[in-house]
Amino acid sequence: MELLSSRTLLPIVLWLSLLCSYFAPNSADNTFVHCLVNQSESSLPISAAIFSQNSSSFSSVLQAYIRNLRFNTSTTPKPFLIVTPFDVSHVKAAVVCAKKHNLLMKIRSGGHDYEGVSYVSSQPFFLLDMFNLRSIDIDIESESAWVQAGATLGEVYYRIAEKSKTHGFPAGVCPTVGVGGHISGGGYGNLMRKYGTAVDNVVDAQIVDAQGRFLDRRTMGEDLFWAVKGGGGGSFGVILAYKIKLVRIPEKVTVFKVDKTLEQNATNIVYNWQHAAPSIDNNLFIRLILEVVNCAEVGTKTVRATFIALFLGDSKNLVSVMKDKFPQLGLKQSDCIETSWLQSVMFWDNIDIATPVEILLERQPQSLKYLKRKSDYVKKPISKEGWEGIWKKMIELEKSVMFFNPYGGRMAEIPSTETPLPHRAGNLWKIQYQANWFESGEEVAQHHINMLRELYKYMTPFVSQNPRQAFMCYKDLDLGINHHGFFGYLKGRAYGVQYFHDNFKRLVEIKSKVDPTNFFRTEQSIPVLSHVEFRKFITAKSILSVLFGLFAIHWIRNLK
């Protein structure tokens, strides 16, 4: 048996050691930090915004905006550095230096990313956390506001109400969600049947692009502006701020929450909800929540249907609308609460409306949990027999919950190509599947996730087909994970068509034009076209793989 000669082995070893040392993340840390310092303006030094793993505040900064406990474990991959910019120049520096040193950057605004892709990666990366950039500038005269990406929805709603009792903004019902991720993914809320989604009410944007340039709508052009209004975060640039259009609301609105179990005729009420909710008065949004609860009879389970609503009007008019269009629920005026729009936000977040509204300025959620989410769209009503089968499956699985959000109204009027968010006319409602748990451990997590996947699979005959569609803000890695290698485009298409349908093609074209080297990327970002991606495939990892392959072939040949 002949071993490799030292003459043959030495060059290979030298090549491997040089490549490993050159591409090791730690070797680039100090150089990267020096670049950040040099690139930032001397009057606004970036040093105070940099946290290495050796910093005493590193863990607290990282964990402050983790909203899913699945990604706050000792084994969760951590960034090698966190940058928390408090000026646009810091964002520019981060992009320029990361690109110069070929470093992966993740961008986080509020941390509600369901799959953690804005702050977790299997590859070495650094985190650009936007929470310091959270100014809100309200202009009631023009009925608009500039809102930075790190602001939360609760802060936005509070600041609007400070200036006007008759203005609001159609975004999400969770106050601690960050503006950057919410709007860039096409965020929606309980005003969408009246005014559309958050992205339908964006009139300008500010970003830092892949070249480190500050751009607004005029300088970025209409194509890129279209893409950042719902094309997903982490694909086209760092979102700095959105200019939003405020909408008009009455000084008093009405909310209600009514529960019905199967024993209280829930099957018939839910069957009628699906016909009424998408076609009822546009001022009325009725969410349906389905979950398994204990029955009055000990040891048995039932399904509870919760109807929670926001009506832009008083309770008398609401009851009249319900009697006419949805009498099966049997809504009474005593079920209704008249309140301000700002207090209705608290009601929808299960906060007592008697609580001081300043609670909306709290950036931390009331509680944290482990969670998994999935989504679907429904285009045809479900038969009573179909609902009865769903009840049976839910009771079998016990823990999974479904949220149904009705469409219709303004959502059916906006063309599917107006923004990247394509789910418009033809959709009756959107489903969010929820699994929530509080126990740690991989085995427990897999149990809950598998139960949710089983319910999702069971719902297949009732939801959209070819493709089965999904909502970008309800990120779901089950739809596909992209490592942006040679087949990056094909991998991206797997989830991209489900999130964006026919708009995916246009998003890829824009992405390939404005970020051809795919600097801005996540596990589910918009990919670049394959012929461009091929150049990125020749990376340090692929070179090492080729060298190891050659080494192995040479070794085997010499064993013969």
Side-chain angles (χ1 to χ4, degrees):
M1 182 166 56
E2 181 185 353
L3 297 177
L4 287 173
S5 67
S6 58
R7 182 182 299 175
T8 305
L9 187 60
L10 183 60
I12 294 175
V13 172
L14 286 173
W15 264 98
L16 292 177
S17 61
L18 285 170
L19 282 169
C20 288
S21 62
Y22 181 79
F23 289 106
N26 290 338
S27 69
D29 284 4
N30 290 335
T31 309
F32 178 53
V33 171
H34 288 151
C35 180
L36 291 174
V37 172
N38 291 335
Q39 283 288 329
S40 65
E41 298 174 10
S42 57
S43 59
L44 291 164
I46 196 173
S47 54
I50 300 173
F51 300 86
S52 71
Q53 289 188 345
N54 295 325
S55 303
S56 58
S57 301
F58 179 86
S59 293
S60 59
V61 172
L62 177 62
Q63 294 174 13
Y65 290 91
I66 295 178
R67 304 295 182 238
N68 186 348
L69 291 177
R70 284 171 58 203
F71 307 111
N72 195 12
T73 71
S74 59
T75 58
T76 303
K78 310 294 191 295
F80 63 81
L81 199 75
I82 302 173
V83 180
T84 60
F86 48 88
D87 185 74
V88 174
S89 64
H90 299 163
V91 178
K92 290 181 178 180
V95 171
V96 169
C97 293
K99 195 169 185 181
K100 179 180 178 181
H101 293 283
N102 195 29
L103 298 174
L104 177 62
M105 177 172 75
K106 291 298 187 90
I107 310 161
R108 182 168 73 174
S109 59
H112 279 268
D113 186 327
Y114 286 152
E115 297 283 16
V117 302
S118 62
Y119 55 89
V120 177
S121 177
S122 59
Q123 304 173 41
F125 73 104
F126 78 96
L127 174 62
L128 186 72
D129 201 317
M130 302 291 285
F131 69 87
N132 282 324
L133 292 174
R134 61 198 213 215
S135 69
I136 300 167
D137 184 13
I138 310 290
D139 184 354
I140 294 299
E141 186 175 345
S142 67
E143 296 185 302
S144 66
W146 272 107
V147 181
Q148 285 192 312
T152 65
L153 297 183
E155 290 172 335
V156 174
Y157 299 156
Y158 182 90
R159 298 305 174 195
I160 293 172
E162 266 189 329
K163 296 291 183 72
S164 170
K165 304 303 180 187
T166 56
H167 285 86
F169 183 65
V173 300
C174 180
T176 57
V177 168
V179 164
H182 183 73
I183 296 182
S184 64
Y188 80 101
N190 53 21
L191 291 174
M192 73 174 183
R193 299 191 66 255
K194 179 70 172 181
Y195 291 113
T197 68
V199 290
D200 299 320
N201 294 276
V202 168
V203 295
D204 205 342
Q206 295 174 343
I207 71 168
V208 171
D209 74 352
Q211 298 179 52
R213 299 177 301 180
F214 172 87
L215 303 174
D216 59 12
R217 180 175 182 173
R218 182 184 63 80
T219 52
M220 76 176 74
E222 289 302 303
D223 274 351
L224 183 51
F225 179 61
W226 177 86
V228 300
K229 291 192 306 173
S235 285
F236 300 97
V238 181
I239 302 295
L240 299 172
Y242 284 109
K243 186 179 183 180
I244 59 175
K245 179 175 62 178
L246 306 184
V247 300
R248 297 193 178 189
I249 54 172
E251 196 161 335
K252 288 291 181 182
V253 302
T254 305
V255 294
F256 71 74
K257 184 185 291 185
V258 175
D259 295 332
K260 298 291 182 181
T261 64
L262 296 182
E263 294 71 26
Q264 296 170 318
N265 201 27
T267 301
N268 185 56
I269 298 171
V270 168
Y271 176 80
N272 283 279
W273 168 89
Q274 69 181 341
H275 293 87
S279 60
I280 209 164
D281 189 321
N282 290 2
N283 290 302
L284 179 56
F285 182 92
I286 311 172
R287 169 181 279 179
L288 167 64
I289 303 173
L290 300 176
E291 56 193 327
V292 176
V293 296
N294 292 323
C295 202
E297 185 180 338
V298 178
T300 60
K301 302 286 184 180
T302 189
V303 173
R304 179 175 67 198
T306 299
F307 301 85
I308 177 172
L310 170 70
F311 179 64
L312 300 177
D314 60 33
S315 59
K316 183 179 179 181
N317 282 324
L318 171 58
V319 172
S320 176
V321 169
M322 291 291 286
K323 282 183 178 178
D324 182 38
K325 301 295 185 182
F326 188 19
Q328 295 81 8
L329 186 61
L331 185 73
K332 304 183 295 291
Q333 200 152 348
S334 58
D335 297 320
C336 303
I337 302 172
E338 292 185 353
T339 185
S340 69
W341 173 70
L342 193 63
Q343 288 172 309
S344 79
V345 173
M346 298 193 296
F347 177 87
W348 273 74
D349 197 39
N350 295 311
I351 301 171
D352 187 340
I353 61 172
T355 306
V357 292
E358 283 70 27
I359 195 172
L360 295 175
L361 300 177
E362 294 286 339
R363 296 177 68 85
Q364 297 300 320
Q366 299 298 300
S367 64
L368 292 174
K369 52 185 173 284
Y370 300 86
L371 60 89
K372 169 69 179 178
R373 302 287 187 263
K374 298 179 76 67
S375 62
D376 259 323
Y377 287 86
V378 176
K379 297 178 179 294
K380 296 179 181 179
I382 300 172
S383 67
K384 287 187 179 180
E385 293 76 17
W387 285 113
E388 287 166 356
I390 293 170
W391 308 149
K392 183 178 178 182
K393 190 64 179 180
M394 290 188 71
I395 291 171
E396 174 193 325
L397 299 174
E398 287 195 33
K399 298 295 184 181
S400 299
V401 180
M402 288 193 283
F403 279 51
F404 295 72
N405 299 284
Y407 273 49
R410 179 65 181 140
M411 291 299 291
E413 298 168 358
I414 300 170
S416 62
T417 56
E418 185 74 16
T419 71
L421 185 71
H423 316 296
R424 306 292 187 169
N427 291 292
L428 296 178
W429 65 82
K430 170 168 55 194
I431 305 175
Q432 183 188 82
Y433 303 87
Q434 292 194 3
N436 305 299
W437 64 100
F438 295 92
E439 307 86 2
S440 62
E442 185 60 29
E443 189 174 334
V444 174
Q446 281 306 309
H447 171 75
H448 286 276
I449 292 171
N450 288 338
M451 292 300 99
L452 193 70
R453 287 170 176 163
E454 190 171 340
L455 179 59
Y456 177 81
K457 182 179 179 180
Y458 182 85
M459 293 296 292
T460 302
F462 307 112
V463 301
S464 60
Q465 306 289 335
N466 302 316
R468 186 171 184 170
Q469 296 177 44
F471 179 45
M472 178 52 154
C473 276
Y474 295 168
K475 198 162 290 173
D476 178 11
L477 291 185
D478 292 352
L479 304 181
I481 296 175
N482 200 341
H483 297 296
H484 301 282
F486 182 62
F487 297 105
Y489 171 77
L490 294 177
K491 293 279 189 181
R493 194 177 188 282
Y495 56 81
V497 170
Q498 293 181 74
Y499 288 139
F500 303 110
H501 206 212
D502 293 339
N503 291 333
F504 176 68
K505 181 181 178 182
R506 184 179 175 189
L507 287 169
V508 171
E509 290 171 350
I510 295 169
K511 168 71 172 179
S512 300
K513 181 180 178 181
V514 303
D515 184 17
T517 63
N518 202 18
F519 171 73
F520 292 109
R521 63 191 185 276
T522 72
E523 288 77 358
Q524 283 196 341
S525 58
I526 300 298
V528 293
L529 293 170
S530 298
H531 70 277
V532 178
E533 190 65 11
F534 178 75
R535 294 198 296 270
K536 280 192 64 58
F537 185 65
I538 309 302
T539 61
K541 185 179 290 186
S542 65
I543 292 172
L544 286 173
S545 298
V546 169
L547 287 172
F548 276 117
L550 292 172
F551 180 89
I553 291 170
H554 193 93
W555 180 277
I556 292 168
R557 283 177 176 173
N558 279 278
L559 288 177
K560 293 179 180 180

